[in-house]
Amino acid sequence: MTEFTYFTACTIDGFIADTDNSLQWLFDVPVVENDSAIPDFIDGIGVLVMGATTYTWMLEHEQLLEHPDKWRDWYRDRPAWVFTHRELPSIPGVDIRFVSGEVADHFDALREAAGTRKVWLLGGGELVGAFDDAGALDEICLGMVPVALGGGAQVLPRRITSERLTLVDVQQVGQRVDLRYKVARAVS
Ligand SMILES: NC(=O)c1ccc[n+]([C@@H]2O[C@H](COP(=O)([O-])OP(=O)(O)OC[C@H]3O[C@@H](n4cnc5c(N)ncnc54)[C@H](OP(=O)(O)O)[C@@H]3O)[C@@H](O)[C@H]2O)c1
């Protein structure tokens, strides 16, 4: 069965971006040489899913319209589903599907695109919450860095209590703690 995994960096007070949608606080954390957490995770995914803010942030921050080769270096030929109500530019040569509406309407296509690999839910938190509401959140992987922001974009603006979450792995990578939780389906 295809797994839906939320994999993101976050602060100790539960934010994935600050109030200006900046991630500079994340880039300021000292990196560890040969940290393979992200490439190892990407090896196991078949498709990426994100909201419009995350996509436009990537376009602008990484200048992906001018340098589409960066995307291919990171993700190879994996397709991405971008949820939006707008007409956004596509990255040249990259399989980007702009979609909208109920997330569940896209599950069959996402499962087919992922094959035997995972669906990576990049965020934002509300979009991931919509996947959980529809019964499609199997795993949460948080790279928690020693930063508190006091406000911004929440990791996951939902009430999900401990009977649904099982901590299955913890790794320290320099100043970051990587936490992996299995998520049980909500009992309706
Ligand atoms: N720390 C990290 O590793 C990390 C990871 C991911 C994201 N981030 C950051 O976190 C922030 C998240 O931003 P965000 O909270 O605004 O979330 P987002 O999910 O990236 O974008 C939300 C937008 O997506 C569109 N959307 C969402 N659901 C939709 C649906 N069902 N149908 C159609 N459109 C839909 C809407 O945009 P429109 O109506 O305008 O089209 C909505 O305003 C960004 O700054 C991002 O860069 C950080």
Side-chain angles (χ1 to χ4, degrees), residues 85-106:
H85 301 100
R86 291 175 278 158
E87 282 201 17
L88 296 173
S90 198
I91 303 168
V94 178
D95 184 0
I96 307 278
R97 324 268 175 99
F98 296 104
V99 296
S100 64
E102 297 295 324
V103 296
D105 292 344
H106 304 281

Side-chain angles (χ1 to χ4, degrees), residues 14-21 149-155:
F15 295 102
I16 59 171
D18 71 16
T19 49
D20 297 321
N21 282 319
L149 291 171
Q154 288 180 35
V155 172

Side-chain angles (χ1 to χ4, degrees), residues 8-10 16-17 21 23 25-26 51-54 57 83-86 99-101 103 122-125 127 153:
T8 188
C10 71
I16 59 171
N21 282 319
L23 297 185
W25 51 271
L26 177 59
T53 314
T54 301
W57 181 89
F83 280 84
T84 185
H85 301 100
R86 291 175 278 158
V99 296
S100 64
V103 296
L122 283 87
L127 181 64

Side-chain angles (χ1 to χ4, degrees), residues 42-43 45-48 71 74-80 95 117:
I42 291 171
D43 276 349
I45 66 127
V47 52
L48 297 78
W71 175 285
W74 301 325
Y75 307 126
R76 308 286 170 202
D77 58 353
R78 293 170 175 83
D95 184 0
R117 292 185 286 182

